[in-house]
Amino acid sequence: MRANLPKGMGGGPQNMQAMIRQAQKMKEDMAAKQEELDARVYDVKAGGGVVTVHINGKKEVLSIDIAPELVDPDDIETLTDILVAGVNEAIKRVEETNSAEMEKITGALDMPGFF
């Protein structure tokens, strides 16, 4: 008994070669996009804009700008809390952007370890 597969499904070596070429192209596109994303710089504000975290697409903090009025030697805890919030928000933004950009290439295809 033979299975009747929809056109384009199964069907021999030409179809398999096309799938392999498509996967290779997707892999190349993803590598190029990752390089582009790694080079991006994000400026993320926290604490109502008194702290700005500059981070790149590799999630490396490049610098942190702190408004002078925030620096109070008697209240280091507030400064620390705002810095932590800013860094966490910056990392989150990089991850969300990277994920959304890669999803444009893969079409939400989830194949861990394949690429």
Side-chain angles (χ1 to χ4, degrees):
M1 181 171 161
R2 295 184 95 188
N4 290 325
L5 297 173
K7 187 163 179 79
M9 298 294 290
Q14 293 89 0
N15 198 25
M16 182 59 79
Q17 289 173 351
M19 287 174 43
I20 291 170
R21 281 193 302 274
Q22 185 178 7
Q24 183 62 34
K25 169 114 174 57
M26 187 182 296
K27 184 176 180 180
E28 290 168 2
D29 291 348
M30 289 176 66
K33 180 58 75 175
Q34 188 62 59
E35 189 173 320
E36 175 191 322
L37 292 170
D38 287 349
R40 283 189 188 178
V41 175
Y42 302 81
D43 299 322
V44 181
K45 296 191 180 300
V50 294
V51 169
T52 303
V53 177
H54 307 279
I55 188 170
N56 66 20
K58 296 179 191 177
K59 301 179 208 162
E60 299 168 334
V61 175
L62 304 174
S63 65
I64 299 175
D65 297 330
I66 303 168
E69 65 269 15
L70 181 61
V71 181
D72 178 356
D74 296 326
D75 188 14
I76 298 299
E77 188 175 339
T78 298
L79 174 60
T80 302
D81 291 346
I82 292 173
L83 289 173
V84 168
V87 170
N88 287 336
E89 180 60 31
I91 291 170
K92 181 179 172 186
R93 180 154 334 147
V94 170
E95 288 174 347
E96 288 172 350
T97 301
N98 288 357
S99 179
E101 290 294 322
M102 287 300 181
E103 196 170 292
K104 289 178 185 176
I105 295 171
T106 64
L109 180 66
D110 187 18
M111 297 175 60
F114 186 70
F115 294 106

